[in-house]
């Protein structure tokens, strides 16, 4: 195991960090310069006014180009480490001021790595570890430094972090029965069926939980799930990890703004709203980024159409974060100063999306595998979901997207995704940016939505049955539904509404649903 120390150093004074560390450890210590090939049991220290990244199989040090990013060097390195080392990446956030490291630690965890944060009692400056352990639930372990060292020594010898996972196509899953039994425990607890997700991705997440719990066999882990419901919940949250960022892959967003949004707006009636769906929205950054693009594109228009952005995710925790629109100060690394000033409000250690942007976005818990889609969409942006789904599930989801889009609507996918499973329903417009248009087909791609198994607790949108052609979600959010009786409406409060459902060709039924409205949203 190699160690890289990234610290906030003075911009003007020579760093003595390497010399000081060399006096208290037997491991070789050196400042990283140029391209350095990493060696086990060596310590590499960031130089002043530099950034570090994993490139070409080694550690690369580059001059810090933007002085405003000086306080974000940990996030930058962690993100690079996560991207290139996947499950071999381990991040540790120690005492420090600010929130640097929070977003990067979440990225490490999302790629199957392991995340540590120093406990607040032992931290002289608790801001960084507090943010890392609280924001997005990024830290797997919150421990004093001595205990972190013991865990690192244990994990270093585990096969999970010593070897890069095999390619997904060639990976075998054994034993199948235990793997299926684990899925059943998760489904029983959450109502979510992961059996048609890509098995290799799920296997890595399960192996990660086994490492964290010091469990060596799948059978022993299954016994743990049977005895400990909290571990079932923890595994479910790990299976849903999906980290995004504002304006991720900036070139794609520039392409949207310069080419696609003008096409959507061209000859648009002012009374016809622009409708966007962001499935798999995670913590909301993608939806808010698109909202900002649309606002910028229409700021000079005298009669601009309304904007309706529907963002959904299977994770209740992620949706709650998205609704609040509160993010660590290090999002400044992904958002221009002009956009920060116009579309965000600075708080103590965070940025919150402004109310004018939040009012355009409605967030809902939704399982695209089971719940009916939105409808009449001009754009669907689904940039980090299909990659986790098996082929049959991809086909079903793409059929839902085809149904949801307007005849001239667009589908935007992630850089590693394609419509291969639904190639007869979409036409590629731009290969680089993974943009597709909806094809008019003589027969609608087959869709089937089934009610999920009953689960304990209230979901913001409960599972619907027999609704293939039902516009429930879009109609629900299109109309404002009040409490009645003169009661004041409270943000985030549950509303009870009666929605008609088509149960067959000639029969209609109605069912009552509890819906949680996001703060500041109008439905």
């Amino acid at each position: 195991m190699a160690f890289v120390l990234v610290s906030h150093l003075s911009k003007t004074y020579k760093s003595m960090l390497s010399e000081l560390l060399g006096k208290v450890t037997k491991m070789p210590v050196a400042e990283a310069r140029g391209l350095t090939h990493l060696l086990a049991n060596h310590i590499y220290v960031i130089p002043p006014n530099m950034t570090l990244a994993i490139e070409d199989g080694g550690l690369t040090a580059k001059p810090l180009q933007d002085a405003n990013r000086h306080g974000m060097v940990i996030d930058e390195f962690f993100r690079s480490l996560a991207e290139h080392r996947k499950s071999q990446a381990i991040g540790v956030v120690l005492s420090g001021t600010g929130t640097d490291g929070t977003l990067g630690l979440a990225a490490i965890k999302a790629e199957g790595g392991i995340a540590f944060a120093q406990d607040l009692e032992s931290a002289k400056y608790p801001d960084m570890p507090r943010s890392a352990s609280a924001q997005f639930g990024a830290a797997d372990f919150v421990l004093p430094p001595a205990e972190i060292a013991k865990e690192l020594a244990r994990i270093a010898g585990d096969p999970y972090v010593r070897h890069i996972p095999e390619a997904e196509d060639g990976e075998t899953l054994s034993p199948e029965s235990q793997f299926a039994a684990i899925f059943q425990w998760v489904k029983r607890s959450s109502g979510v069926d992961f059996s048609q997700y890509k098995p290799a991705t799920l296997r890595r997440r399960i192996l990660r939980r086994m490492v964290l719990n010091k469990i060596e066999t799948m059978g022993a882990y299954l016994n743990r799930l049977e005895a400990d419901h909290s571990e079932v919940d923890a595994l479910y949250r790990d299976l849903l990890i999906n980290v995004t960022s504002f304006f991720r892959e900036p070139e794609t967003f520039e392409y949207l703004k310069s080419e696609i949004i003008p096409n959507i707006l061209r000859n648009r009636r002012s009374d016809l709203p622009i409708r966007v769906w962001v499935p798999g929205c995670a913590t909301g950054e993608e939806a808010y980024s698109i909202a900002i693009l649309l606002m910028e594109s229409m700021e000079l228009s005298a009669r601009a159409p309304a904007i309706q952005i529907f963002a959904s995710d299977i994770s209740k925790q992620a949706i709650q974060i998205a609704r609040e629109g509160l993010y660590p100060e290090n999002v400044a690394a992904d958002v221009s100063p002009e956009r920060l000033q116009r579309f965000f409000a600075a708080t103590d250690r965070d940025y919150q999306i402004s109310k004018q942007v939040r009012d355009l976005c409605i967030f809902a818990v939704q399982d695209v595998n089971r719940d009916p889609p939105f409808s009449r969409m001009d754009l669907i942006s689904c940039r980090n979901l299909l990659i986790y789904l098996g082929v049959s599930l991809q086909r079903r989801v793409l059929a839902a997207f085809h149904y949801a889009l307007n005849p001239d609507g667009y589908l935007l996918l992630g850089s590693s995704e394609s419509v291969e499973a639904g190639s007869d329903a979409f036409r590629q417009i731009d290969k680089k940016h993974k943009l597709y248009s909806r094809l008019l087909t003589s027969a609608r791609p087959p869709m089937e939505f089934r009610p999920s198994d009953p689960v304990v607790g209230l979901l913001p949108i409960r599972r619907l049955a027999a609704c293939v052609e039902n516009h429930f979600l879009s109609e629900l959010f299109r109309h404002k539904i009040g409490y009645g009786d003169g009661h004041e409406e409270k943000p985030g409060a549950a509303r009870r509404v009666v929605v008609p459902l088509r149960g067959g060709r000639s029969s209609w039924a109605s069912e009552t649903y509890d819906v949680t409205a996001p703060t500041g949203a109008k439905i």
Side-chain angles (χ1 to χ4, degrees):
M1 180 180 289
F3 299 85
V4 179
L5 183 58
V6 184
S7 182
H8 299 146
L9 301 174
S10 170
K11 300 178 183 179
T12 55
Y13 293 98
K14 182 182 185 305
S15 172
M16 300 295 293
L17 188 55
S18 297
E19 290 82 352
L20 293 172
L21 281 175
K23 295 178 180 179
V24 295
T25 179
K26 295 180 180 179
M27 289 187 288
V29 181
E31 280 191 349
R33 298 287 181 182
L35 177 62
T36 304
H37 293 287
L38 297 173
L39 299 174
N41 299 319
H42 282 60
I43 300 176
Y44 304 90
V45 178
I46 187 172
N49 297 310
M50 303 286 278
T51 62
L52 295 181
I54 300 296
E55 293 180 4
D56 301 323
L59 181 66
T60 301
K62 297 180 180 179
L64 187 66
Q65 300 294 333
D66 185 352
N68 294 325
R69 298 175 70 94
H70 179 263
M72 307 169 191
V73 289
I74 300 174
D75 272 333
E76 192 166 335
F77 174 68
F78 277 178
R79 283 175 165 176
S80 172
L81 182 66
E83 179 184 356
H84 290 87
R85 291 303 174 96
K86 309 294 183 183
S87 64
Q88 290 184 308
I90 299 175
V92 181
V93 173
L94 298 174
S95 174
T97 60
T99 61
D100 195 14
T102 298
L103 299 178
L105 206 64
I108 287 175
K109 188 173 178 178
E111 292 290 351
I114 298 174
F116 290 84
Q118 184 175 352
D119 70 324
L120 304 186
E121 290 76 15
S122 65
K124 184 176 181 180
Y125 302 102
D127 288 356
M128 281 172 48
R130 178 189 291 116
S131 178
S133 59
Q135 192 83 23
F136 312 146
D140 294 305
F141 296 100
V142 180
L143 301 168
E147 295 300 316
I148 292 176
K150 291 179 182 179
E151 283 296 322
L152 288 176
R154 176 184 70 84
I155 291 171
D158 195 284
Y160 179 75
V161 297
R162 290 177 65 87
H163 302 286
I164 298 176
E166 300 174 36
E168 293 190 1
D169 292 340
E171 190 166 356
T172 58
L173 301 172
S174 177
E176 293 281 353
S177 59
Q178 292 176 342
F179 203 61
I182 289 174
F183 287 155
Q184 284 301 315
W185 274 104
V186 175
K187 182 179 179 181
R188 193 176 305 164
S189 173
S190 66
V192 178
D193 184 3
F194 287 98
S195 61
Q196 295 187 61
Y197 283 58
K198 286 184 178 177
T201 301
L202 299 181
R203 183 174 185 269
R204 287 199 297 270
R205 297 290 168 87
I206 292 171
L207 291 175
R208 201 186 86 89
R209 293 304 309 172
M210 291 169 60
V211 172
L212 299 181
N213 286 282
K214 306 176 184 178
I215 295 174
E216 296 183 357
T217 67
M218 196 79 76
Y221 186 63
L222 180 57
N223 292 336
R224 172 67 180 272
L225 294 177
E226 294 172 349
D228 185 358
H229 184 77
S230 65
E231 179 57 28
V232 179
D233 292 339
L235 174 60
Y236 173 64
R237 290 193 299 270
D238 265 25
L239 293 175
L240 297 182
I241 291 175
N242 183 3
V243 174
T244 184
S245 60
F246 286 98
F247 302 99
R248 183 165 55 97
E249 297 170 352
E251 287 185 3
T252 295
F253 277 91
E254 286 302 316
Y255 173 73
L256 277 180
K257 187 175 182 179
S258 63
E259 301 292 334
I260 304 308
I261 292 178
N263 285 344
I264 295 175
L265 291 173
R266 191 169 291 118
N267 301 321
R268 188 84 175 193
R269 286 176 13 210
S270 60
D271 63 337
L272 192 63
I274 294 175
R275 294 167 60 84
V276 179
W277 179 20
V278 186
C281 68
T283 46
E285 291 92 331
E286 182 100 356
Y288 288 133
S289 297
I290 293 174
I292 289 171
L293 285 190
L294 288 169
M295 292 178 70
E296 290 175 339
S297 298
M298 294 190 291
E299 59 188 349
L300 299 180
S301 177
R303 300 184 62 192
I307 299 170
Q308 298 175 350
I309 296 179
F310 307 92
S312 60
D313 198 275
I314 202 171
S315 169
K316 289 192 289 183
Q317 182 185 24
I319 287 296
Q320 186 57 44
I321 293 171
R323 287 171 174 165
E324 293 174 356
L326 194 66
Y327 301 95
E329 61 183 353
N330 277 15
V331 298
D334 304 314
V335 183
S336 68
E338 295 77 18
R339 283 173 171 161
L340 277 176
Q341 183 176 9
R342 180 179 175 186
F343 300 109
F344 291 75
T347 64
D348 216 10
R349 290 287 181 185
D350 303 290
Y351 282 105
Q352 185 170 33
I353 294 289
S354 66
K355 187 177 184 300
Q356 63 173 336
V357 180
R358 295 203 311 276
D359 281 350
L360 303 180
C361 303
I362 294 177
F363 295 92
V365 175
Q366 181 194 41
D367 184 348
V368 293
N369 178 26
R370 291 182 175 270
D371 294 329
F374 295 88
S375 63
R376 294 176 285 117
M377 293 293 144
D378 298 295
L379 170 67
I380 296 176
S381 178
C382 181
R383 302 179 64 216
N384 202 21
L385 175 63
L386 293 182
I387 193 173
Y388 297 110
L389 308 182
V391 174
S392 62
L393 191 51
Q394 284 186 19
R395 189 174 294 114
R396 179 183 302 175
V397 171
L398 287 170
F401 291 169
H402 186 272
Y403 166 83
L405 283 170
N406 283 328
D408 54 352
Y410 297 98
L411 173 63
L412 180 66
L413 299 181
S415 58
S416 300
E417 298 172 329
S418 72
V419 297
E420 184 176 349
S423 56
D424 56 340
F426 296 93
R427 176 177 65 89
Q428 187 177 80
I429 294 179
D430 189 281
K431 182 178 181 180
K432 177 181 179 182
H433 299 294
K434 295 302 178 74
L435 186 77
Y436 301 84
S437 65
R438 180 186 189 274
L439 287 176
L440 295 177
T441 59
S442 56
R444 186 187 299 273
M447 289 196 302
E448 178 184 357
F449 297 98
R450 303 181 303 277
S452 298
D453 295 339
V455 297
V456 177
L458 181 68
L459 297 180
I461 295 182
R462 290 178 55 193
R463 306 296 190 244
L464 311 180
C467 312
V468 175
E469 296 298 329
N470 193 279
H471 289 194
F472 167 77
L473 292 175
S474 56
E475 292 302 310
L476 175 65
F477 289 129
R478 192 163 64 87
H479 295 288
K480 183 178 178 66
I481 304 168
Y483 279 97
D485 301 327
H487 291 294
E488 181 181 356
E489 181 176 330
K490 297 179 181 179
R495 304 171 178 183
R496 180 144 295 192
V497 297
V498 177
V499 180
L501 299 180
R502 179 157 48 191
R505 290 188 177 181
S506 59
S507 64
W508 285 81
S510 66
E511 192 163 339
T512 301
Y513 296 94
D514 291 291
V515 180
T516 301
T519 301
K522 299 177 180 179
I523 42 182

